[in-house]
Amino acid sequence: MNWIKFFKTLKKYYYLEPAFDNIITDFRKVENLKKKYNCNIDYRVRISYDDIDNFEIGKNVYIGAYSVIFVTNENDKRDCKLIIGEDTYIGEQNNIRAAGGTIKIGKKCLISQQVSIIGSDHTYKKGIYIQDQPWKQENGGVEIGDDVWIGCSVQIMAGVKIGNGAVIAAGSVVTKDVEENTVVAGVPAKFIKHRE
C-alpha cells in the first residue's frame, strides 16, 4: 500500500492539512532511515531529527510502534547522535531523546515497552524560564552496553552508563552507572545480584 498517497487522499477530503503534513513528514523520515540503515522501524514511530547522519543504526534493528525518537541539536551544533547496535530490539511506546547528549545502545539489546532514555537535562538557574535554558553540557548522554535487557517502564537518566550484560528490572529509575552482568531494580535502581 502507498501510505503517502493514502494520507494525501485523507488530507484532501477531510481538510486536515496540518496534522497530515506532520504524519507524512514523520513517515518519510522513518522510510529514509529504513532505507539507509536496512533496519525495521514501524511506520507509526514518530522521529524528529536535524540530520540523518546523526544516526548510526545497525542491521536487523527493530523499533516498535508509537515510539517517539528525538535526535535534535541546540543551535547549529551537530554533536547529538543516536547509535544503535545490530540485532537490537526496541519495543513499543518508547521515548528516546538524544537531545543535548548522545545515546549509544549496544548490539543484541532487548528494550521492552514504555522505556524512557533521556540524553540530557536542562539547566535551571533562577530568574530564567527553564524551557529557555540550554541543556547541561556536563554529564550528558547515555551509554548502554551489549546484551542488555531493559524491562517495561524503566527510566534511564542522562549521564548513565550501563555495562554489558546488565538487566534492569521493570519500573526502575536508573540514575547511576550499572556494572556489567548485574541485575538492578527499584527507584532509584540498586544492585540486586550478579547474572549467573
Side-chain angles (χ1 to χ4, degrees):
M1 176 176 221
N2 185 335
W3 287 102
I4 292 176
K5 187 175 179 181
F6 171 75
F7 289 137
K8 284 183 179 179
T9 302
L10 283 176
K11 180 173 112 173
K12 178 180 175 184
Y13 289 108
Y14 294 101
Y15 306 104
L16 299 170
E17 190 166 332
F20 282 103
D21 283 346
N22 290 339
I23 291 169
I24 291 168
T25 299
D26 288 347
F27 181 79
R28 285 186 177 142
K29 286 182 176 184
V30 166
E31 289 302 306
N32 289 339
L33 285 170
K34 285 168 67 172
K35 186 176 180 181
K36 181 171 181 173
Y37 293 107
N38 189 26
C39 58
N40 186 0
I41 303 173
D42 190 283
Y43 73 93
R44 293 165 292 188
V45 171
R46 179 163 182 234
I47 294 182
S48 179
Y49 57 82
D50 302 321
D51 186 344
I52 196 167
D53 291 330
N54 286 346
F55 284 85
E56 290 178 29
I57 303 176
K59 289 182 182 178
N60 301 318
V61 165
Y62 173 83
I63 302 174
Y66 308 112
S67 291
V68 177
I69 298 172
F70 279 84
V71 183
T72 54
N73 293 276
E74 199 169 61
N75 303 323
D76 291 329
K77 293 185 209 172
R78 293 286 184 262
D79 54 354
C80 298
K81 290 188 172 190
L82 176 60
I83 301 164
I84 306 172
E86 62 186 30
D87 298 314
T88 285
Y89 173 92
I90 298 172
E92 296 76 22
Q93 300 178 336
N94 288 300
N95 177 30
I96 300 174
R97 304 233 171 209
T102 293
I103 295 175
K104 296 178 186 177
I105 302 170
K107 65 183 178 182
K108 292 196 175 272
C109 291
L110 181 60
I111 298 175
S112 191
Q113 298 78 34
Q114 301 171 340
V115 171
S116 287
I117 304 172
I118 309 301
S120 185
D121 295 320
H122 279 278
T123 54
Y124 51 90
K125 292 181 182 174
K126 190 169 112 178
I128 304 170
Y129 291 113
I130 292 172
Q131 71 179 20
D132 295 335
Q133 296 192 41
W135 294 309
K136 284 184 182 178
Q137 294 303 309
E138 70 281 353
N139 300 326
V142 171
E143 189 172 331
I144 299 170
D146 299 335
D147 185 35
V148 171
W149 179 16
I150 300 172
C152 185
S153 300
V154 167
Q155 311 293 306
I156 300 174
M157 301 291 107
V160 167
K161 291 182 181 176
I162 298 174
N164 295 335
V167 176
I168 315 298
S172 297
V173 177
V174 183
T175 59
K176 295 181 180 175
D177 293 353
V178 177
E179 292 183 26
E180 288 187 6
N181 297 308
T182 59
V183 178
V184 299
V187 180
K190 294 181 181 175
F191 173 81
I192 301 297
K193 64 180 182 177
H194 291 283
R195 278 180 70 182
E196 298 175 6

